Amino acid sequence: LNVTEEKFVVDTLAGCTEYKSILDVVVKAFYVQDGKYCPISDRNLYIVICYLATFQLEEIGLQHFSRIVKSLDTAKMQQFLRFFFNDLYLNTWIKDEWSHFYDSVYVKENWIDPLLRWQPKVQKLIEKLTDKLSNRTTTVKTLRVTQPKEFNLTVPKPRAIAPPSPAPLPELPKRQPVPPSIYKPPKERKQLEEMKMKNIQKAKVTNTNQFRCATIKPEKREFLFRINSTVLILWSQISCEQYLEVVWESVLTQYFEELTKQPQDLIDNIPIKLNTAAILREGALYQRKLEEELKRIENLQQGAGEPSEFLEWQKQMRGKDLEEQLAEIECRRLQGKLSYEEAVLAHQNVTQENKKKADLLREEKAELMHLYAEKRLQEQKEIKELVEQIMEGHKNVKQAKEKIQEYKQQIVQQVCEENEELLRQALEEKEDQNRKRYELIQQIRAMESTSGIRHKFVDLTETGGHGLFGEMSIVELRERLALLKEAQKAAEEEKRDQIIHEKQAKEQLLLDKLDQISQFRAELGRAAALKQEEKKKSQSGEKPMKDERILNLQKKIEEKTIERKKQAGLL
């Protein structure tokens, strides 16, 4: 570029950067309204044209501006200039949007009014671009069509007129024979009957073995029943602390017999691994029990009464209540079993009624199938008559199809010729556009290659000179960081020593707690053994008694079971 052209390019680039905010308002609105289908890669092109029309039109003149516009794509420039130089847009929203960045009076006097003055002249340029587009799209080169000539052939002699041959009879397509499946009963009926018989047999087997998977051994059933009933009754009558104490005692007594069968040496030598929290928790428990025992002894020394007789009486009364409640629960269980037997009998009666209804439905279904077959035969006769009528109409349609096909071939040939001419013109325009882009890229690369390389030397011992409090050089900053790291390291060593001393003290506390726990466990084991021996002696003379209600319910259940089995045999 020469000096003038280089100055023009640099000024344009600087102006587009300075007024980017107001130029973006116009370009964004263009993409939203008229330029919905324009590529986003042409955004910078529209920004440059908008800048030249707004700020440089009076300086460069309309003739130079027209040459720039005509050198670019005609359709894009015509569409953008028609949008930008619209009187309504300039006086309304463009003026309002630009007033958000600059003073409204300044915008109107320096930018809007000059654009409105240039608008009639620019409108002529837009009309020229529109005419150019219309001429380019309508001019289609017509090809010369070859005119055929007749051959000079010898005229044949006239032949004798032969009698007309009779018209050939139409050949109808072979009809498909009637499938044999129409005269056979459907397979679905047979499959449904087989599935029904299988389900009936399966239901019979299921009723006999309905609760086999839920059976429990007699000894386990009695043990679980006693424990669950005890828990439910005690939970509804006593407080939370008493409930926990009684449940724990009952569970220990139930399992103590199993534990006593094992060798005592094997029980004592079972290893128990405790963590820190378990040791502290168990030590606190034993310490609290020790304090309660000391308090109880002090109360006895001061003259307080011994509550052991009252507790024994309370225990006996609770045992009687428990036996009564267990008998009530057994009665409820037997009543449930009795209701189950009655439900099975009712189910068998319903099954017999359903069988009768199914037989009636089968008879009705057979009548409906017979009517359906007669209707299908009538419909097939009507379809045959309709097919014969359609075959007669197909003969006339073939001639019309041949004429339409010839007409379409002519239209396709004309369209192909027009498309070839349009493709050739589009290819020439694309090559011209690519050539201009290549030249512009070469110019930009030449400008980038001439930029110089700058070096800046830094002195680490000097400050930045910004005038801030506490400003220092990089060397001083590194020295201070080294001192801070040494102080941090010394603090970490001191903290580590403190943690080690605390850990040793905690380990010593845990050892003391373990010694205390072992002593308490030995004492509690001996007390539990003595208590178990006393309980065995007291329970040796007791015998279980059954309630009369339970015996009556068991008899009723046996009678219902025998009746159900007889009914099943009849079915």
Side-chain angles (χ1 to χ4, degrees):
L1 298 175
N2 55 26
V3 178
T4 306
E5 293 175 348
E6 183 178 2
K7 183 177 182 300
F8 175 75
V9 171
V10 172
D11 292 340
T12 304
L13 179 62
C16 292
T17 306
E18 181 179 1
Y19 299 102
K20 184 175 182 300
S21 58
I22 62 175
L23 297 177
D24 284 340
V25 171
V26 179
V27 175
K28 287 180 180 178
F30 171 72
Y31 272 102
V32 171
Q33 295 184 12
D34 295 346
K36 292 180 180 179
Y37 304 103
C38 295
I40 199 68
S41 58
D42 296 332
R43 180 185 177 86
N44 293 330
L45 175 63
Y46 296 135
I47 290 175
V48 172
I49 297 299
C50 184
Y51 170 77
L52 294 176
T54 307
F55 301 95
Q56 298 291 330
L57 189 57
E58 294 182 358
E59 184 177 351
I60 64 177
L62 183 63
Q63 185 177 3
H64 189 53
F65 180 76
S66 301
R67 280 191 296 156
I68 294 172
V69 170
K70 291 178 180 179
S71 65
L72 300 172
D73 190 282
T74 307
K76 296 177 182 178
M77 292 297 102
Q78 187 263 350
Q79 193 174 9
F80 179 75
L81 292 176
R82 186 179 61 188
F83 170 80
F84 183 55
F85 282 91
N86 191 340
D87 295 338
L88 181 62
Y89 294 165
L90 289 172
N91 288 321
T92 55
W93 63 267
I94 293 178
K95 178 183 175 182
D96 296 335
E97 291 294 331
W98 286 0
S99 298
H100 293 163
F101 303 96
Y102 296 90
D103 186 49
S104 60
V105 179
Y106 179 82
V107 170
K108 186 177 185 306
E109 292 178 357
N110 295 290
W111 295 340
I112 302 298
D113 291 340
L115 288 173
L116 294 174
R117 287 197 303 271
W118 283 103
Q119 196 269 343
K121 297 180 180 180
V122 176
Q123 190 65 31
K124 295 179 180 179
L125 176 61
I126 295 171
E127 293 175 359
K128 292 180 181 179
L129 296 176
T130 307
D131 295 336
K132 185 177 179 182
L133 286 173
S134 61
N135 293 331
R136 187 179 67 182
T137 56
T138 55
T139 55
V140 179
K141 185 176 180 181
T142 58
L143 298 177
R144 184 178 179 183
V145 181
T146 304
Q147 299 293 335
K149 293 182 179 180
E150 295 181 358
F151 293 102
N152 189 10
L153 301 175
T154 304
V155 179
K157 295 180 179 180
R159 295 180 181 181
I161 299 172
S165 60
L169 296 174
E171 295 181 359
L172 297 176
K174 293 183 180 180
R175 296 181 177 84
Q176 295 181 357
V178 179
S181 61
I182 291 178
Y183 305 104
K184 294 180 181 180
K187 296 180 181 180
E188 288 77 5
R189 183 187 299 173
K190 187 176 180 181
Q191 292 177 358
L192 288 172
E193 291 178 357
E194 291 178 357
M195 291 173 63
K196 190 171 182 180
M197 293 302 296
K198 289 180 180 179
N199 291 333
I200 291 170
Q201 294 176 1
K202 187 177 179 181
K204 290 179 181 179
V205 175
T206 306
N207 288 332
T208 56
N209 301 326
Q210 189 171 9
F211 296 102
R212 179 179 292 177
C213 60
T215 56
I216 306 173
K217 294 182 179 180
E219 56 272 13
K220 289 186 178 180
R221 186 188 296 112
E222 293 179 1
F223 174 69
L224 293 173
F225 177 74
R226 279 187 277 129
I227 288 179
N228 292 333
S229 59
T230 305
V231 170
L232 292 172
I233 293 164
L234 292 176
W235 178 259
S236 62
Q237 291 184 354
I238 60 177
S239 62
C240 183
E241 295 180 357
Q242 294 174 350
Y243 166 73
L244 293 174
E245 184 179 356
V246 173
V247 169
W248 178 248
E249 183 180 354
S250 63
V251 172
L252 285 177
T253 54
Q254 294 292 336
Y255 282 101
F256 187 75
E257 295 179 0
E258 297 294 334
L259 294 176
T260 51
K261 294 178 182 178
Q262 300 179 0
Q264 189 65 25
D265 298 336
L266 185 62
I267 295 173
D268 295 337
N269 295 329
I270 294 174
I272 299 173
K273 186 176 181 181
L274 300 175
N275 54 11
T276 304
I279 293 169
L280 294 175
R281 186 166 56 249
E282 193 168 358
L285 176 64
Y286 290 141
Q287 185 67 28
R288 187 169 63 253
K289 287 184 177 180
L290 181 61
E291 291 176 358
E292 291 176 357
E293 186 65 21
L294 292 174
K295 187 175 180 181
R296 188 179 68 83
I297 293 170
E298 289 179 359
N299 292 334
L300 290 174
Q301 290 178 356
Q302 293 176 3
E306 179 65 27
S308 59
E309 295 179 359
F310 173 74
L311 294 175
E312 184 66 24
W313 173 81
Q314 188 180 20
K315 186 176 180 181
Q316 292 176 0
M317 297 303 294
R318 286 178 180 174
K320 292 180 181 179
D321 294 339
L322 180 61
E323 289 177 359
E324 293 177 358
Q325 291 174 359
L326 290 174
E328 185 67 24
I329 292 169
E330 182 67 18
C331 289
R332 291 178 183 174
R333 185 184 69 81
L334 294 174
Q335 288 175 358
K337 192 173 181 181
L338 180 61
S339 62
Y340 165 73
E341 295 293 339
E342 293 175 353
V344 170
L345 289 173
H347 177 71
Q348 291 175 354
N349 295 329
V350 172
T351 305
Q352 291 179 356
E353 293 178 0
N354 291 336
K355 283 183 178 180
K356 295 178 181 178
K357 292 180 181 178
D359 294 335
L360 295 174
L361 290 175
R362 288 194 199 97
E363 294 175 358
E364 294 177 359
K365 187 176 180 182
E367 294 177 359
L368 292 175
M369 290 296 293
H370 181 68
L371 296 174
Y372 177 74
E374 293 179 354
K375 187 178 180 182
R376 288 288 297 171
L377 291 173
Q378 185 66 25
E379 289 178 355
Q380 287 179 0
K381 290 180 181 179
E382 295 177 357
I383 290 169
K384 287 179 182 179
E385 296 175 357
L386 183 62
V387 169
E388 292 175 357
Q389 295 176 3
I390 291 171
M391 290 298 296
E392 293 178 359
H394 283 335
K395 296 177 183 179
N396 300 327
V397 173
K398 288 182 180 179
Q399 297 178 359
K401 283 184 178 179
E402 291 177 357
K403 293 181 181 179
I404 292 171
Q405 190 173 3
E406 292 177 359
Y407 178 69
K408 287 182 178 179
Q409 288 177 356
Q410 294 177 1
I411 294 173
V412 169
Q413 187 176 1
Q414 294 177 2
V415 172
C416 290
E417 293 174 356
E418 293 176 358
N419 288 338
E420 289 178 359
E421 182 65 21
L422 292 174
L423 288 173
R424 186 181 61 76
Q425 292 179 3
L427 185 62
E428 291 177 357
E429 292 178 359
K430 191 68 177 178
E431 290 178 354
D432 190 11
Q433 188 177 2
N434 290 337
R435 182 178 56 76
K436 290 180 181 180
R437 287 181 180 177
Y438 179 74
E439 293 176 357
L440 182 60
I441 290 169
Q442 294 295 331
Q443 294 173 6
I444 293 171
R445 288 180 178 174
M447 291 174 65
E448 290 178 352
S449 62
T450 57
S451 59
I453 302 172
R454 299 178 181 178
H455 297 282
K456 184 177 181 180
F457 299 96
V458 180
D459 188 5
L460 301 178
T461 59
E462 294 182 356
T463 59
H466 302 295
L468 302 173
F469 291 108
E471 190 174 5
M472 65 183 73
S473 63
I474 296 176
V475 175
E476 184 180 356
L477 179 62
R478 290 174 180 172
E479 291 178 356
R480 292 191 178 186
L481 287 175
L483 293 174
L484 286 174
K485 286 181 180 179
E486 291 178 358
Q488 186 178 3
K489 190 175 181 181
E492 288 178 357
E493 292 293 336
E494 184 179 356
K495 185 70 175 177
R496 189 178 292 109
D497 295 338
Q498 183 180 358
I499 290 170
I500 291 170
H501 290 312
E502 292 177 356
K503 189 175 181 181
Q504 291 176 355
K506 189 176 181 179
E507 289 178 354
Q508 186 62 35
L509 178 63
L510 291 176
L511 292 173
D512 297 340
K513 290 287 184 183
L514 284 173
D515 294 338
Q516 185 180 3
I517 288 168
S518 61
Q519 293 177 5
F520 275 104
R521 282 182 177 175
E523 294 295 333
L524 290 174
R526 286 193 291 270
L530 293 174
K531 191 174 181 180
Q532 186 65 24
E533 290 178 359
E534 293 177 357
K535 189 171 183 179
K536 280 185 178 181
K537 294 177 181 179
S538 62
Q539 292 180 353
S540 59
E542 295 180 357
K543 293 182 179 180
M545 296 295 290
K546 286 191 175 180
D547 196 355
E548 293 181 358
R549 293 181 298 170
I550 296 173
L551 296 174
N552 294 331
L553 288 171
Q554 288 178 353
K555 289 180 181 179
K556 289 182 181 180
I557 290 169
E558 291 176 358
E559 293 174 358
K560 291 291 182 180
T561 305
I562 293 168
E563 185 179 354
R564 177 174 59 83
K565 290 180 179 179
K566 289 180 180 179
Q567 190 71 18
L570 294 175
L571 289 173

